[in-house]
């Protein structure tokens, strides 16, 4: 017989207005505590989900996010705590919005594909321009159509930048060095990219032929689901100094946000690894609370193979966003009869939302080498950290928080407190409040499109019916999510962006 909701809640303690701790005993074998950050507006969703689970069992095929958070804390080699950010919602294995770090020097420590996600290095890139909203007002619809024509979108979309099997191998190994070599990127683009757009331990030989076959035709494509390209304008500036450093310091200034990942290649890399790791778990007698938390010891052959293949998929995703940046620059250049550099179309930053990386952090006063899993969360390193670009040394790393379709987005910066408390991590977006299936059942796609049009937002979509899944009603309020991160000090607001055109798959 399972515990009642009241019994489950007894293991959850509110330790500050926006932070809760999940004590050991909430699930079996917890090695560390869990913690989640939510304000009063967001907490209801998590507790309602847990209550529904206590009364009816699994919700939508997944455990509640709080249960997933706790199950992660039972994985071997985890340190400090399992962390959930305000946009947390249930996912495969790990919750989306979960951060967990594992001790690289502990032979029992594991790497888990569920802690990265199927869309490896799904992330966001922000490109600025020197245009203002008044410059694009009369051509907004044409500009949206031009972007839609230039960037392949949708489930079965294929890239238009010529890519051979040899090119793919080079892109998997070299990341953004490859489009730079081929003339599809500017030299400074990689300087404003997490990891400079290249994971150095990538080994294309660890990526299956099936994954490569899926990835070859999709280079430079947006995909579908929650991926998008948006034309946005600067709506509010909270930190003028940081905004100036990023070159987005004028109200009404036009920017482009691109949200996409590693497409079918990344999905196949994750699928292949899960199959291999189930066998490794049986061999090494690794037990988890949830079979979706398939994992392997970091130093095992399976663990190392996944790390190398995951890095290739991450490199692919950076090349993918770079290819779309190239196409975006072309679209704007044609529309305004100018060269992209005359339009100041520089990359502000490019962040990863689904990745695992080796980093150094202080844990209980000791400097440790950790494998930090960030799934549906963003690295948010503070000022003066050696791994962020020289341009942002005094302000902290830019953190790009994409809103939902038709709602605002934010640019944050990392903080010292966040580095200490969340391994330098913060939220990644709004986070789902209802499942895709529920959205399809309860929303009408024409109503969603009409609402966007009423707001003055141009929209181009490959599949209108998929729009229901990405409607604002399907997500939490991104402002509440960002305000929670700001309230607990794990990141700091710099700029708010408002969409004027949306391109969807």
């Amino acid at each position: 017989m399972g515990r009642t909701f009241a019994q489950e809640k007894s293991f959850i303690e509110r330790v500050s207005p926006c932070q809760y701790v999940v004590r050991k005993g909430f699930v079996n074998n917890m090695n560390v505590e869990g913690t989640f950050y939510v304000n009063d507006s967001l907490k209801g969703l998590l507790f309602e989900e847990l209550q529904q689970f206590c009364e009816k069992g699994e919700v939508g095929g997944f455990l509640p996010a709080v249960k997933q958070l706790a199950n992660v804390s039972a994985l071997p080699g985890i340190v400090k705590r399992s962390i959930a950010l305000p946009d947390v919602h249930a996912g495969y294995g790990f919750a989306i919005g979960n951060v967990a770090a594992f001790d690289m020097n502990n032979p029992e420590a594991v790497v888990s594909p569920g802690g990265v996600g199927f869309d490896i290095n799904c992330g966001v890139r922000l490109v600025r321009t020197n245009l203002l909203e008044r410059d694009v007002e009369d051509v907004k619809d044409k500009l949206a159509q031009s972007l839609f024509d230039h960037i392949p979108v949708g489930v079965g979309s294929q890239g238009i930048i010529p890519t051979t099997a040899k090119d793919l191998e080079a892109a998997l190994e070299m990341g953004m060095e490859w489009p730079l070599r081929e003339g599809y990127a500017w030299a400074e683009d990689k300087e404003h990219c997490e990891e400079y757009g290249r994971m150095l331990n990538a080994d294309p030989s660890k990526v299956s032929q099936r994954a490569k076959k899926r990835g070859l035709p999709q280079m430079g494509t947006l995909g579908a689901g929650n991926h998008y390209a948006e034309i946005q304008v600067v709506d509010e500036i909270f930190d003028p100094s940081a905004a100036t450093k990023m070159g987005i310091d004028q109200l009404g200034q036009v920017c482009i946000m691109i949200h996409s990942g590693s497409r079918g290649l990344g999905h196949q890399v994750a699928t292949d690894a899960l199959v291999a790791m189930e066998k490794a778990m049986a061999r090494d007698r690794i037990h988890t609370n949830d079979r979706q938390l398939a994992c392997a010891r970091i130093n095992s052959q399976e663990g190392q193979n996944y790390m190398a293949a995951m890095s290739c998929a991450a490199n692919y995703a950076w090349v993918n966003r770079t290819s779309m940046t190239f196409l975006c620059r072309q679209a704007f250049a044609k529309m305004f009869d100018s060269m992209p550099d005359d339009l100041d179309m520089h990359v502000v930053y490019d962040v990863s939302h689904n990745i695992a990386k080796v980093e150094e952090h202080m844990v209980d006063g000791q400097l440790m080498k950790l494998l930090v899993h960030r799934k549906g969360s963003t690295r948010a390193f503070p000022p003066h950290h050696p791994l962020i670009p020289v341009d942002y040394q005094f302000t902290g790393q830019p953190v790009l928080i994409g809103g939902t379709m038709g709602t605002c987005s934010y640019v944050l910066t990392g903080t010292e407190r966040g580095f200490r408390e969340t391994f330098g991590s913060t939220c990644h977006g709004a986070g789902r409040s209802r499942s895709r299936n529920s959205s399809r059942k309860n929303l009408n796609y024409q109503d969603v499109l009409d609402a966007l049009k009423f707001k003055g937002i141009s929209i181009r979509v490959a599949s209108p019916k998929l729009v229901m899944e990405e409607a604002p009603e399907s997500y939490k309020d991104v402002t509440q999510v960002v305000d929670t991160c700001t309230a607990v000090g794990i990141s700091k607001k710099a700029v708010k962006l408002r969409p004027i055109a949306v391109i969807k798959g």
Side-chain angles (χ1 to χ4, degrees):
M1 182 72 180
R3 290 192 297 231
T4 65
F5 176 58
Q7 289 170 328
E8 294 280 36
K9 267 190 80 175
S10 69
F11 287 91
I12 301 173
E13 180 186 351
R14 189 176 194 169
V15 294
S16 77
C18 295
Q19 184 180 3
Y20 295 77
V21 168
V22 183
R23 302 294 183 200
K24 290 183 181 180
F26 184 66
V27 299
N28 294 331
N29 308 316
M30 290 175 68
N31 296 311
V32 294
E33 293 179 334
T35 191
F36 57 92
Y37 299 93
V38 286
N39 65 9
D40 287 338
S41 297
L42 298 171
K43 69 177 183 181
L45 287 167
L46 286 183
F47 286 114
E48 284 167 20
E49 186 182 60
L50 181 60
Q51 183 171 6
Q52 189 178 345
F53 170 78
C54 292
E55 294 170 358
K56 299 180 181 178
E58 270 189 20
V59 184
F62 292 127
L63 292 169
V66 179
K67 284 282 184 185
Q68 292 186 320
L69 169 76
N71 282 335
V72 168
S73 76
L75 290 174
I78 190 170
V79 300
K80 201 170 183 178
R81 60 180 70 94
S82 175
I83 301 161
L85 298 158
D87 48 344
V88 66
H89 54 287
Y92 183 91
F94 280 58
I96 298 164
N98 198 174
V99 178
F102 297 80
D103 180 3
M104 294 286 290
N105 293 318
N106 181 344
E108 303 292 318
V110 297
V111 57
S112 175
V116 172
F118 283 93
D119 192 1
I120 296 166
N121 192 8
C122 178
V124 173
R125 173 175 294 200
L126 186 66
V127 179
R128 71 181 189 229
T129 76
N130 56 16
L131 298 165
L132 296 176
E133 187 172 11
R134 63 173 179 263
D135 300 320
V136 302
E137 211 153 27
D138 293 337
V139 295
K140 184 172 62 177
D141 284 334
K142 287 182 180 177
L143 195 54
Q145 187 63 47
S146 181
L147 270 185
F148 189 73
D149 292 341
H150 276 76
I151 299 174
V153 303
V155 176
S157 55
Q158 296 199 355
I160 58 175
I161 292 176
T163 313
T164 65
K166 189 176 178 183
D167 291 330
L168 179 63
E169 293 281 331
L172 295 180
E173 183 176 351
M174 297 170 64
M176 279 181 65
E177 298 288 350
W178 179 77
L180 186 57
R181 187 185 75 183
E182 299 297 316
Y184 298 124
W186 295 355
E188 60 267 35
D189 286 353
K190 69 173 187 175
E191 300 298 321
H192 284 181
C193 185
E194 198 169 319
E195 299 297 319
Y196 301 100
R198 182 181 186 183
M199 297 281 275
L200 295 175
N201 65 320
D203 181 353
S205 72
K206 305 303 182 187
V207 178
S208 70
Q209 286 304 312
R210 179 167 172 74
K212 290 172 182 175
K213 186 177 179 181
R214 291 182 68 180
L216 183 59
Q218 293 183 335
M219 187 80 79
T221 64
L222 191 64
N226 64 346
H227 294 161
Y228 60 79
E230 276 190 2
I231 303 171
Q232 304 172 335
V233 294
V234 174
D235 197 46
E236 202 168 342
I237 296 170
F238 306 99
D239 187 338
S241 175
T244 299
K245 281 292 183 184
M246 297 177 207
I248 47 173
D249 53 354
Q250 290 189 78
L251 292 176
Q253 185 176 347
V254 174
C255 301
I256 305 98
M257 184 175 277
I258 299 169
H259 178 207
S260 191
S262 51
R263 307 287 279 112
L265 182 138
H267 196 285
Q268 192 62 46
V269 165
T271 302
D272 293 340
L274 288 167
V275 172
M277 286 184 183
E278 283 192 1
K279 295 175 183 174
M281 288 173 69
R283 180 195 66 212
D284 295 336
R285 295 189 176 91
I286 300 172
H287 301 286
T288 62
N289 289 346
D290 180 2
R291 68 181 303 273
Q292 291 184 357
L293 289 173
C295 56
R297 290 179 181 150
I298 296 171
N299 294 321
S300 69
Q301 190 62 60
E302 293 82 3
Q304 290 297 299
N305 287 350
Y306 171 69
M307 295 278 285
M310 179 204 68
S311 296
C312 286
N315 288 346
Y316 179 99
W318 280 312
V319 173
N320 193 34
R321 291 196 286 276
T322 297
S323 301
M324 285 185 281
T325 303
F326 172 77
L327 297 170
C328 178
R329 284 168 173 159
Q330 282 193 325
F332 269 71
K334 287 179 184 176
M335 180 60 64
F336 295 99
D337 195 22
S338 299
M339 296 298 289
D341 51 348
D342 293 331
L343 295 172
D344 192 38
M345 296 188 74
H346 289 273
V347 173
V348 174
Y349 207 59
D350 182 301
V351 295
S352 308
H353 288 163
N354 286 357
I355 204 159
K357 291 198 290 191
V358 179
E359 298 171 0
E360 289 188 336
H361 292 271
M362 296 294 290
V363 178
D364 299 327
Q366 181 182 355
L367 185 65
M368 297 183 72
K369 186 179 178 184
L370 304 175
L371 181 63
V372 182
H373 294 61
R374 293 188 181 94
K375 180 181 182 180
S377 59
T378 315
R379 192 186 76 174
F381 280 179
H384 312 299
H385 194 286
L387 293 182
I388 61 175
V390 64
D391 292 350
Y392 303 132
Q393 280 292 306
F394 292 108
T395 58
Q397 178 205 309
V399 180
L400 310 176
I401 309 299
T404 59
M405 188 174 59
T407 67
C408 61
S409 297
Y410 287 87
V411 183
L412 314 179
T413 51
T415 66
E416 284 288 350
R417 183 170 181 181
F419 193 68
R420 290 193 308 270
E421 294 198 5
T422 62
F423 304 106
S425 311
T426 193
C427 62
H428 84 304
R432 280 198 165 272
S433 62
R434 66 162 80 191
S435 70
R436 286 184 163 86
N437 189 43
S438 171
S439 298
R440 284 194 298 270
K441 285 180 179 177
N442 294 291
L443 299 173
N444 177 280
Y445 75 86
Q446 193 58 52
D447 290 344
V448 177
L449 295 179
D450 289 346
L452 291 172
K453 189 175 180 181
F454 181 77
K455 291 180 182 176
I457 299 170
S458 295
I459 181 162
R460 297 293 184 277
V461 290
S463 174
K465 293 191 177 181
L466 286 179
V467 166
M468 295 178 292
E469 299 177 5
E470 303 306 318
E473 295 91 336
S474 303
Y475 285 85
K476 300 174 186 177
D477 181 346
V478 69
T479 299
Q480 294 289 344
V481 170
V482 166
D483 285 348
T484 302
C485 292
T486 303
V488 296
I490 60 175
S491 49
K492 182 181 172 187
K493 284 196 287 191
V495 175
K496 178 183 174 185
L497 300 159
R498 169 174 54 85
I500 59 172
V502 181
I503 313 302
K504 294 285 292 184

